[in-house]
């Protein structure tokens, strides 16, 4: 039993290490753009907006909390929110309009030109993420995504796609969170006084 567990850990670690190390040059460039444009956005009084479904919704909330509260050190709050946080807003929008509008409707309300939107997704094919990207573009909000599945359909609606080279949702989510944490650390260090 111990050997089987050890082998399983090694197999999963190898999949993860491969995905972390497989960023192509365009995705790496887009990640660097995410960091530098987010620093500029915060300095200009804008905010970072995360969104995603399921586990990616939880990761969105996690990353927004890292920016608002703290990542590794005490400092001023960094303006950030997760569109998956308000159950009343989500269920009202899904009920009164359609589930595909749960993020775009919120962006119509709180999104401002110069904000940064970051979609987290394993498939890149969720209609609600695509609708949010469309609204972001109309409002002059910069769009980024962390996505598996070669970016899925969302890739063509996102200015700066960051593609995770895996088709395994659990691996994609771990890599999204890993780079999300790097992003939070870069912002925290760059914006701390």
């Amino acid at each position: 039993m111990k050997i089987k567990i050890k082998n399983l850990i090694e197999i999963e670690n190898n999949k993860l290490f491969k995905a972390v190390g497989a960023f192509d040059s365009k995705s790496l460039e887009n990640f660097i753009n995410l960091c530098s444009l987010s620093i500029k956005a915060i300095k200009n009084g804008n905010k970072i907006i995360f969104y995603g479904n399921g586990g990616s919704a939880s990761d969105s909330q996690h990353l927004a909390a890292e920016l608002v509260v703290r990542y590794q050190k005490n400092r001023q709050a960094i303006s950030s929110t997760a569109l998956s946080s308000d159950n009343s807003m989500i269920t009202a929008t899904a009920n009164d309009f359609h589930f595909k509008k749960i993020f775009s409707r919120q962006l119509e309300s709180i999104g401002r030109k110069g904000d940064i939107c970051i979609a987290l997704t394993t498939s890149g094919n969720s209609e609600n993420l695509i609708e949010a990207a469309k609204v972001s573009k109309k409002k002059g909000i910069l769009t980024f995504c962390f996505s598996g599945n070669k970016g899925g359909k969302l890739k063509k609606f996102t200015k700066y796609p960051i593609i995770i080279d895996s088709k395994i949702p659990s691996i994609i989510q771990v890599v999204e969170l890993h780079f999300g944490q790097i992003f939070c650390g870069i912002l925290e260090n760059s914006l701390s006084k």
Side-chain angles (χ1 to χ4, degrees), residues 67-81:
L67 294 179
V68 172
V69 182
R70 73 187 299 270
Y71 177 58
Q72 292 182 342
K73 58 185 174 184
N74 293 331
R75 38 92 182 147
Q76 251 186 334
I78 296 170
S79 185
S80 182
T81 191

Side-chain angles (χ1 to χ4, degrees), residues 15-61:
K15 290 177 193 174
L16 179 60
F17 298 148
K18 181 181 175 190
V20 168
F23 261 29
D24 62 25
S25 60
K26 187 64 178 169
S27 291
L28 182 57
E29 181 183 330
N30 287 345
F31 182 75
I32 293 167
N33 283 329
L34 171 63
C35 297
S36 60
L37 292 171
S38 294
I39 292 165
K40 181 179 175 184
I42 296 299
K43 286 182 177 178
N44 288 336
N46 291 101
K47 62 190 162 299
I48 312 298
I49 303 168
F50 295 95
Y51 51 95
N53 295 298
S56 296
S58 297
D59 290 342
S60 295
Q61 290 172 265

Side-chain angles (χ1 to χ4, degrees), residues 168-185:
I168 305 165
S170 60
I171 297 295
I172 296 164
Q173 287 178 326
V174 171
V175 175
E176 286 173 349
L177 191 54
H178 173 69
F179 280 95
Q181 298 278 34
I182 293 170
F183 169 70
C184 291

Side-chain angles (χ1 to χ4, degrees), residues 1-13:
M1 184 65 159
K2 282 185 181 181
I3 292 172
K4 286 182 182 180
I5 292 171
K6 185 178 178 189
N7 288 341
L8 179 61
I9 291 169
E10 288 176 5
I11 289 167
E12 291 302 308
N13 280 345

